[in-house]
Amino acid sequence: MLQDGKLYIGTSRKPDDTNNKPEYLELKFGNRHGLVTGATGTGKTVTLQILAEGFSNAGVPVFCADVKGDLSGIGAIGEAKDFLQKRADQIGLAPYEFQQFPVIFWDLYGEKGHRVRTTISEMGPLLLSRLMNATDAQEGVINIAFKIADQGGLPLLDLKDFQALLNYMGENASTLSSQFGFISKASVGSIQRELLILEQQGAEQFFGEPALKISDIMRTTNDGRGAISVLAADKLMMNPRLYGTFLLWMLSELFEVLPEVGDPDKPKLVFFFDEAHLLFNDAPKVLTERVEQVVRLIRSKGVGVYFVTQNPLDVPETVLAQLGNRVQHALRAYTPREQKAVKTAADTFRPNPDFNCAEVITQLGTGEALVSTLEGKGAPSMVERTLVRPPASRLGPVTEAERREIMNVSPVAGLYDEDFDRESAYEILTARAKKAAEAAQKQAEAQEASPQSSGGSRWTLPGFGDDEPAAQPAPKQPKARSGYQRETVAEAAMKSVARTVASSLGRALVRGILGSLRR
Ligand SMILES: Nc1ncnc2c1ncn2[C@@H]1O[C@H](COP(=O)(O)OP(=O)(O)OP(=O)(O)O)[C@@H](O)[C@H]1O
Ligand SMILES: [Mg+2]
């Protein structure tokens, strides 16, 4: 039943309910993407589990999100339960063997897995705007912020770096606007408020270093199995935008980092996108277009993307058209929208003369699905009514103790546990501010000692080098000391940006389709 180059999904049934034939997913078409849909409780997660198992056994690393905690059991050996054995007998899976899979648990919050982080810089303006649900005006400001940081060599690692940069932009809106485009102070303010909300939701943990290395989700074990990265997403799902944006960032990282490989014998990585509707739910058109583009292009990097969602209408048509391997579990058809979903799902299959797709979709039992995969030269196989195999790993969650044990022996244990706070925009801007403030203090003292030397209306900022072009016009003499310091911070940062921009012409960072950094 297990064959080289193929992954066993289950066994299809004839109209008289006898076994028809085993249904496989061909590994060489594993990068041609896939779709798993079905109403709640129809068997999507189990299907995801057996697909992940199959890929892992074939040496393909897998990344998936565990939305309800019930997928974690893939890291534990399965148990002979009556209903599972019954399914195995029914489809002729003999012997029904149990197996434990090499799992790496990840968690943005660092509770149920190794910490996953990225930096603001790496995430880029497009995804950050999406994360903050930014208006067009705010997005404009975010784009300018990245322009300043990318060109000026100000590393944006965590939320406080971004806050510092926004402060600086707010204070220098008019000067910067002439150079980078219009910066509305109101927009800066609202982005800052959004950032505070994100921080309160725990997103600050997600931004910083060490950032996740893509090579760590592409590991294989010594015995040649692909590691299955399981992202704990139960808590994350309470912030659906963060969840969606994070997975998009992963996708865009994979796209930017991995080399072209054409169509390999088997995928380099398979990426399951559970609750995929969150990705497209009122996403701006430009983002949907970019996602479509990434999905299309990432195939030749050997990455298969599998969307898992309740309703096939959740996925835009342009994306849907690219998903070659399909497992359609039961759908209900009470409301007009549900009926439309059934029709859409049925229409996308290569019909089988033995049955009416639309009718059967509403009659499928739990763990039963309409299956069509790519075959031959890459054409979809005729759709078959299929009983999905039972998993070899545990159905249901791991215990807390099991999770700890798996984390302790994980190949990335210890690599991501500690925050690493290197010098970045916040420190740079603060240090310059401090320096400038000290300089200002000195100057004030000097002025007190010999008032006549203060006659000139121009002055240089000590501590920023004598090579500065003839000093910029002096800031208005502020009355309060704090005000004075603020002005100086702005001045200092402005100079630093201007200088780095000048010295870095031609080596500004380049961003890819989804706005993350090009390597
Ligand atoms: N292939 C299968 N073999 C045996 N039992 C299955 C299979 N698929 C599903 N089941 C049974 O159906 C139950 C529900 O399946 P599953 O959790 O995969 O549904 P789901 O579609 O992911 O639901 P939800 O949308 O609520 O997450 C499982 O706990 C299991 O008991
Ligand atoms: Mg599920």
Side-chain angles (χ1 to χ4, degrees):
M1 188 150 278
L2 298 171
Q3 284 190 17
D4 267 0
K6 291 176 167 186
L7 183 170
Y8 174 59
I9 300 175
T11 299
S12 54
R13 318 284 288 166
K14 292 184 189 154
D16 66 2
D17 221 22
T18 56
N19 280 346
N20 178 31
K21 61 180 173 65
E23 299 298 328
Y24 296 103
L25 190 157
E26 290 194 39
L27 291 170
K28 68 172 181 209
F29 295 129
N31 66 335
R32 302 277 291 268
H33 311 319
L35 179 69
V36 178
T37 45
T40 180
T42 55
K44 296 184 298 297
T45 300
V46 176
T47 295
L48 194 164
Q49 186 168 352
I50 63 109
L51 290 175
E53 291 179 355
F55 280 118
S56 172
N57 279 337
V60 179
V62 171
F63 181 91
C64 50
D66 188 8
V67 170
K68 292 187 179 156
D70 52 352
L71 190 56
S72 58
I74 199 164
I77 192 157
E79 299 134 80
K81 296 241 174 79
D82 283 352
F83 71 101
L84 297 175
Q85 188 59 55
K86 188 174 153 226
R87 171 63 56 96
D89 295 342
Q90 212 174 357
I91 61 174
L93 176 65
Y96 174 26
E97 287 170 325
F98 296 102
Q99 205 186 333
Q100 179 178 16
F101 288 82
V103 162
I104 304 178
F105 288 119
W106 299 96
D107 183 2
L108 264 66
Y109 302 100
E111 290 159 9
K112 293 183 170 174
H114 306 288
R115 287 276 299 276
V116 196
R117 303 178 195 74
T118 186
T119 63
I120 299 265
S121 269
E122 276 169 284
M123 179 164 263
L126 183 67
L127 293 182
L128 201 65
S129 299
R130 165 73 171 152
L131 180 59
M132 297 201 287
N133 206 16
T135 61
D136 287 350
Q138 291 163 2
E139 190 166 357
V141 169
I142 293 173
N143 277 317
I144 293 176
F146 274 82
K147 225 191 274 175
I148 294 174
D150 285 357
Q151 292 184 8
L154 286 175
L156 296 178
L157 305 182
D158 48 26
L159 289 179
K160 72 180 187 310
D161 289 328
F162 199 48
Q163 281 286 15
L165 180 59
L166 287 166
N167 274 336
Y168 157 67
M169 286 171 68
E171 284 158 7
N172 295 274
S174 49
T175 330
L176 289 169
S177 289
S178 62
Q179 201 180 337
F180 291 96
F182 179 64
I183 299 169
S184 128
K185 280 193 181 182
S187 298
V188 171
S190 40
I191 298 168
Q192 288 184 305
R193 284 189 295 280
E194 267 301 313
L195 276 183
L196 284 179
I197 296 172
L198 272 179
E199 208 172 311
Q200 282 154 11
Q201 291 171 337
E204 66 185 308
Q205 300 210 46
F206 170 53
F207 290 109
E209 287 186 319
L212 175 71
K213 284 218 299 278
I214 287 301
S215 54
D216 277 332
I217 61 160
M218 300 193 66
R219 289 171 173 268
T220 45
T221 59
N222 291 334
D223 59 356
R225 291 186 297 161
I228 302 177
S229 284
V230 178
L231 176 77
D234 42 354
K235 183 168 168 188
L236 185 56
M237 291 305 291
M238 298 204 249
N239 186 348
R241 266 210 312 271
L242 181 58
Y243 170 80
T245 315
F246 169 71
L247 289 195
L248 262 189
W249 166 75
M250 293 265 311
L251 212 55
S252 98
E253 271 299 288
L254 285 166
F255 178 72
E256 300 301 341
V257 169
L258 297 180
E260 290 283 329
V261 293
D263 281 321
D265 291 346
K266 62 183 183 192
K268 301 284 175 202
L269 178 84
V270 164
F271 188 96
F272 286 99
F273 212 133
D274 204 349
E275 303 285 347
H277 63 282
L278 294 176
L279 176 55
F280 302 108
N281 264 3
D282 29 70
K285 189 156 170 276
V286 47
L287 186 70
T288 308
E289 283 167 6
R290 302 280 175 91
V291 172
E292 188 245 305
Q293 210 176 349
V294 168
V295 170
R296 180 154 38 81
L297 297 172
I298 208 168
R299 169 185 150 191
S300 61
K301 310 224 164 181
V303 177
V305 184
Y306 289 69
F307 293 95
V308 183
T309 181
Q310 295 201 4
N311 191 327
L313 298 179
D314 292 338
V315 182
E317 218 160 306
T318 48
V319 176
L320 213 52
Q322 301 180 50
L323 312 179
N325 301 297
R326 306 219 169 165
V327 180
Q328 174 67 60
H329 287 283
L331 290 174
R332 296 176 311 177
Y334 302 129
T335 68
R337 182 175 147 86
E338 286 168 351
Q339 283 155 10
K340 181 158 183 254
V342 169
K343 188 168 167 3
T344 304
D347 287 350
T348 56
F349 284 116
R350 188 179 137 201
N352 186 326
D354 281 350
F355 57 85
N356 176 324
C357 250
E359 234 172 75
V360 167
I361 286 178
T362 60
Q363 298 161 357
L364 294 165
T366 307
E368 188 181 16
L370 291 181
V371 172
S372 168
T373 58
L374 297 182
E375 61 179 15
K377 292 202 169 114
S381 64
M382 193 164 61
V383 63
E384 295 286 0
R385 183 173 182 163
T386 305
L387 287 174
V388 177
R389 65 157 295 171
S393 53
R394 179 188 301 165
L395 192 93
V398 288
T399 65
E400 234 354 82
E402 286 168 332
R403 190 186 285 273
R404 288 295 135 204
E405 208 180 304
I406 291 171
M407 284 172 64
N408 286 340
V409 301
S410 145
V412 301
L415 293 186
Y416 292 99
D417 299 344
E418 300 296 323
D419 283 315
F420 175 59
D421 202 3
R422 78 175 154 102
E423 185 179 67
S424 52
Y426 172 80
E427 286 81 10
I428 294 171
L429 292 173
T430 323
R432 300 221 164 168
K434 192 165 162 255
K435 233 179 184 176
E438 281 166 11
Q441 168 90 35
K442 265 199 202 130
Q443 193 186 1
E445 282 165 14
Q447 275 178 9
E448 259 166 42
S450 56
Q452 57 273 43
S453 74
S454 70
S457 64
R458 301 169 87 86
W459 52 285
T460 47
L461 266 181
F464 282 80
D466 298 322
D467 58 338
E468 289 295 335
Q472 310 208 353
K476 279 175 268 133
Q477 281 293 0
K479 291 176 191 82
R481 181 152 210 103
S482 63
Y484 184 64
Q485 178 162 338
R486 275 235 321 263
E487 198 72 29
T488 325
V489 173
E491 185 82 5
M494 186 61 221
K495 288 196 169 196
S496 103
V497 168
R499 188 168 45 201
T500 354
V501 168
S503 67
S504 70
L505 277 182
R507 66 167 181 78
L509 305 176
V510 181
R511 295 187 172 273
I513 298 179
L514 278 167
S516 67
L517 289 176
R518 277 263 175 78
R519 311 301 143 101

